[in-house]
Amino acid sequence: QDSSSPLMEQLNFFHDHTLLILTMITILVGYIMGMLMFNQFTNRFLLHGQTIEIIWTVLPAIILMFIAFPSLRLLYLMDEINTPSITLKSIGHQWYWSYEYSDFLSLEFDSYMVPTNELEMNGFRLLDVDNRIVLPMNNQIRILVTATDVLHSWTVPSLGVKVDATPGRLNQINFIINRPGLFFGQCSEICGANHSFMPIV
């Protein structure tokens, strides 16, 4: 799915940026290696080249900075929690998710995958659930994630969210949904026999 949150957009841009740098490095190194294999140049007196050694040490360091700084910026942005409008608590079980809307008194439900034989004609096999989460658009949303039995991972790729659900520990992450739609995710931590069958919608 295409990105549906500002952070995921930034992650996509960062991916493209890094890929461009890697492509340039690969082409340059490939070209140099090709030249080395096919030319006949020799120099009997070349023992060291101070200048070129400085250049090929400093230049890669500078190139690495162009990857490191945007990456660190994004890491810190993803940890930023701005006064959330709504909090959702997501609890991983073997093998389904249960949700609690903490801002309301008793709003909680379990979310199971719809089995293939009960699926509507327009449903998504292995991705649809019987109870979907409903979240507001253009609002800061905080998700608290934990588990009751083994490690799970609450993941919705189009929102740029992946949080480990660890028993006895509460992890939090926040995001903004910037367009309406259906967003699908799955558990991303191998959690037993039915790990593939606990989707998120």
Side-chain angles (χ1 to χ4, degrees), residues 72-134:
L72 286 168
R73 171 179 159 268
L74 267 175
L75 270 175
Y76 279 102
L77 274 176
M78 289 171 78
D79 266 349
E80 195 75 34
I81 299 284
N82 308 310
T83 51
S85 316
I86 187 168
T87 300
L88 174 72
K89 186 176 180 191
S90 166
I91 305 156
H93 308 267
Q94 283 179 310
W95 283 276
Y96 65 96
W97 295 99
S98 60
Y99 298 102
E100 299 170 11
Y101 284 84
S102 320
D103 306 294
F104 305 99
L105 283 175
S106 57
L107 186 49
E108 48 189 78
F109 55 88
D110 295 336
S111 179
Y112 288 88
M113 185 189 79
V114 180
T116 309
N117 57 348
E118 296 172 22
L119 206 57
E120 303 276 324
M121 278 302 286
N122 58 356
F124 293 93
R125 194 179 77 88
L126 300 186
L127 275 181
D128 247 326
V129 294
D130 54 0
N131 292 315
R132 294 170 172 173
I133 314 163
V134 179

Side-chain angles (χ1 to χ4, degrees), residues 10-148:
Q10 290 295 315
L11 284 167
N12 277 338
F13 290 147
F14 174 66
H15 169 267
D16 297 346
H17 165 81
T18 311
L19 204 61
L20 208 67
I21 292 175
L22 286 179
T23 309
M24 291 187 333
I25 292 171
T26 312
I27 290 171
L28 179 70
V29 173
Y31 172 75
I32 292 172
M33 284 173 71
M35 291 299 290
L36 278 173
M37 291 192 185
F38 294 115
N39 71 33
Q40 303 293 318
F41 301 145
T42 89
N43 185 337
R44 291 185 304 131
F45 305 108
L46 184 65
L47 295 174
H48 61 83
Q50 205 78 51
T51 323
I52 190 75
E53 283 174 17
I54 288 171
I55 290 171
W56 75 40
T57 306
V58 171
L59 205 63
I62 293 169
I63 292 171
L64 283 177
M65 282 177 186
F66 277 95
I67 298 176
F69 287 134
S71 167
L72 286 168
R73 171 179 159 268
L74 267 175
L75 270 175
Y76 279 102
L77 274 176
M78 289 171 78
D79 266 349
E80 195 75 34
I81 299 284
N82 308 310
T83 51
S85 316
I86 187 168
T87 300
L88 174 72
K89 186 176 180 191
S90 166
I91 305 156
H93 308 267
Q94 283 179 310
W95 283 276
Y96 65 96
W97 295 99
S98 60
Y99 298 102
E100 299 170 11
Y101 284 84
S102 320
D103 306 294
F104 305 99
L105 283 175
S106 57
L107 186 49
E108 48 189 78
F109 55 88
D110 295 336
S111 179
Y112 288 88
M113 185 189 79
V114 180
T116 309
N117 57 348
E118 296 172 22
L119 206 57
E120 303 276 324
M121 278 302 286
N122 58 356
F124 293 93
R125 194 179 77 88
L126 300 186
L127 275 181
D128 247 326
V129 294
D130 54 0
N131 292 315
R132 294 170 172 173
I133 314 163
V134 179
L135 290 171
M137 196 176 91
N138 293 332
N139 277 291
Q140 282 283 349
I141 297 156
R142 171 172 58 180
I143 303 252
L144 303 173
V145 184
T146 185
T148 54

